[in-house]
Amino acid sequence: MTQEQDHISGAGAAGDVWAEPTATAILVLADGTVLEGFGLGAAGHAVGEVCFNTAMTGYQEILTDPSYAGQIITFTFPHIGNVGTNEEDIETVSMAGASGVRGVVLHSSITDPSNYRATRNFDLWLKARGIIGIAGLDTRALTALIRDKGMPNAVIAHAPDGRFDLPALKKEAAEWPGLVGMDLVPMVTSAQRFTWDETPWQWPEGYGRQTAPAHHVVAVDYGIKRNILRLLARAGCKVTVVPATTSAEDILALAPDGVFLSNGPGDPAATGEYAVPVIREIIARGVPTFGICLGHQMIGLAVGGRTMKMHQGHHGANHPVKDQTTGKVEITSMNHGFAVDRDSLPANAEETHVSLFDGSNAGIQLTDRPVFSVQYHPEASPGPQDSHYLFDRFVEMIAKNKKVA
């Protein structure tokens, strides 16, 4: 036995001790549970709601999705970061804005990038984005905890020297009020109006441009993703993006052929305080309207329905949904912690889509107005492209409405 082996085995001379690695990051749950790991990304601490995401790819898109504002993402897939990052796979339209996501939890350490598109190591990218990370946790056990007890509030902290003020962190985690009643849209919406003409990425050319749009769509930005805008452009739309607090009068003054209501973070009931009156006016005017995720919840509230907090939410790129208008099943990308209560919907709001995981509502359409919405993310960035047809359905609705007018 070599001296080194003797030391590791614990059978060395007196005074020899096992050198335990020092934890440089911790996740402190609201109930006082402390999970230790190794820090990555930015140093510091942040408080948020812990959720789990089951996607195997697309971590860069997920971590730049404004819908995750206020949340700490646990990836169930163990190898995150191994293909590095690049300047193209970003979903937020505000490149200069702070990331809404509060932190990231990983099972395995990050390895060097192994993808021809990579321009930066994932750890360095997290530092640049100001996102705190922790690796070395049993993410299966954490996911099981969320499944059984719901999404906990927590503080994620990274200190390179391994020193933490545990009492203060436990107090912060316990006292954070959570996402119910919290309007997070103001921190992720655009500050001013802008236009969009970029179309989806195609190998090997990259992104294209829409040069001959047939329709004009006004997109209300509650935390909109780039790939939504790209698919609207590909469908033949000139897109004007407006901030979340834009009035119905200002939206209608742009003479839109259709209005799109985007995804976004936080409690829909809180955002609805200012968004619902605007949407009701747009619906009353008969303007074709399409909503995704938070936009779907806003439409549900606008027609008189209610939203409710979910136990563990839906976060991943492998969620089966049935389109009840066609009978087809599609695999979808989801990211939401609130849902529309189908029992609260009025008679003119017909349920069109349902989650095959838990039976929750995943889409509605109005029988007396050109309005429909889905709870999931049909732009699928990341995720399967099964639901891209919804953008064509929206354009067909716009074209039909133009003929009637």
Side-chain angles (χ1 to χ4, degrees):
M1 179 180 291
T2 66
Q3 183 178 3
E4 181 181 6
Q5 289 171 327
D6 184 46
H7 174 73
I8 293 174
S9 71
D16 250 358
V17 294
W18 182 272
E20 288 287 349
T22 300
T24 55
I26 56 175
L27 185 69
V28 183
L29 307 187
D31 65 2
T33 301
V34 179
L35 306 176
E36 296 184 343
F38 305 103
L40 50 97
H45 77 280
V47 63
E49 177 184 83
V50 184
C51 67
F52 65 84
N53 188 298
T54 55
M56 297 172 68
T57 61
Y59 53 82
Q60 188 176 349
E61 293 96 319
I62 291 166
L63 291 170
T64 55
D65 178 354
S67 299
Y68 277 109
Q71 293 187 294
I72 299 167
I73 302 173
T74 302
F75 283 103
T76 59
F77 188 68
H79 303 296
I80 298 296
N82 296 346
V83 297
T85 62
N86 59 65
E87 283 69 49
E88 293 184 324
D89 296 343
I90 301 288
E91 280 302 321
T92 178
V93 297
S94 177
M95 295 295 287
S99 296
V101 64
R102 298 292 173 86
V104 59
V105 179
L106 309 180
H107 174 273
S108 302
S109 298
I110 300 168
T111 61
D112 290 334
S114 57
N115 186 280
Y116 78 99
R117 296 177 66 225
T119 59
R120 184 183 291 185
N121 179 282
F122 183 48
D123 182 37
L124 295 177
W125 182 85
L126 289 173
K127 285 181 170 68
R129 295 290 300 177
I131 300 172
I132 299 168
I134 180 173
L137 267 60
D138 185 343
T139 51
R140 293 176 300 176
L142 183 56
T143 299
L145 182 149
I146 295 171
R147 180 193 62 201
D148 295 341
K149 297 185 178 181
M151 296 177 283
N153 297 336
V155 170
I156 185 170
H158 173 199
D161 62 3
R163 297 180 180 179
F164 301 96
D165 185 346
L166 275 178
L169 295 177
K170 289 181 179 181
K171 184 173 185 291
E172 185 174 3
E175 293 181 352
W176 193 63
L179 295 182
V180 175
M182 193 173 289
D183 176 23
L184 296 177
V185 169
M187 71 179 290
V188 297
T189 188
S190 304
Q192 59 189 13
R193 188 173 77 196
F194 64 93
T195 58
W196 185 275
D197 63 2
E198 187 177 78
T199 55
W201 193 89
Q202 295 287 333
W203 189 88
E205 292 85 7
Y207 296 114
R209 294 289 174 186
Q210 172 58 263
T211 58
H215 312 291
H216 178 211
V217 168
V218 171
V220 182
D221 177 14
Y222 302 122
I224 200 164
K225 294 176 67 179
R226 286 173 174 257
N227 213 46
I228 289 174
L229 296 172
R230 294 182 186 120
L231 289 176
L232 286 171
R234 186 178 73 176
C237 300
K238 168 192 172 184
V239 186
T240 302
V241 183
V242 299
T245 54
T246 304
S247 68
E249 180 183 10
D250 288 345
I251 291 173
L252 295 169
L254 295 170
D257 298 315
V259 170
F260 174 79
L261 307 175
S262 86
N263 60 292
D267 187 340
T271 304
E273 293 292 327
Y274 54 85
V276 162
V278 174
I279 297 167
R280 283 178 176 159
E281 178 63 21
I282 291 168
I283 291 175
R285 295 291 188 94
V287 180
T289 304
F290 175 28
I292 285 176
C293 197
L294 183 61
H296 164 69
Q297 296 160 355
M298 291 296 101
I299 289 175
L301 292 171
V303 299
R306 296 188 303 272
T307 55
M308 54 190 179
K309 188 75 166 65
M310 302 177 76
H311 176 70
Q312 66 184 39
H314 291 162
H315 307 92
N318 55 355
H319 287 249
V321 166
K322 184 175 182 179
D323 182 344
Q324 301 192 121
T325 68
T326 64
K328 294 182 178 180
V329 173
E330 55 206 83
I331 303 303
T332 72
S333 183
M334 285 198 177
N335 171 23
H336 64 107
F338 292 81
V340 172
D341 179 2
R342 67 161 57 86
D343 295 333
S344 69
L345 293 171
N348 69 325
E350 176 183 67
E351 183 172 64
T352 57
H353 296 76
V354 61
S355 166
L356 296 184
F357 270 162
D358 60 11
S360 60
N361 173 264
I364 61 174
Q365 66 182 8
L366 301 189
T367 59
D368 55 352
R369 289 288 190 274
V371 177
F372 74 101
S373 60
V374 291
Q375 180 60 79
Y376 52 95
H377 285 248
E379 85 287 347
S381 185
Q385 300 180 5
D386 299 26
S387 308
H388 280 186
Y389 71 91
L390 290 169
F391 293 91
D392 296 327
R393 185 178 289 184
F394 181 40
V395 168
E396 290 166 6
M397 177 184 286
I398 290 173
K400 181 179 179 181
N401 192 67
K402 280 184 173 181
K403 288 181 179 179
V404 173

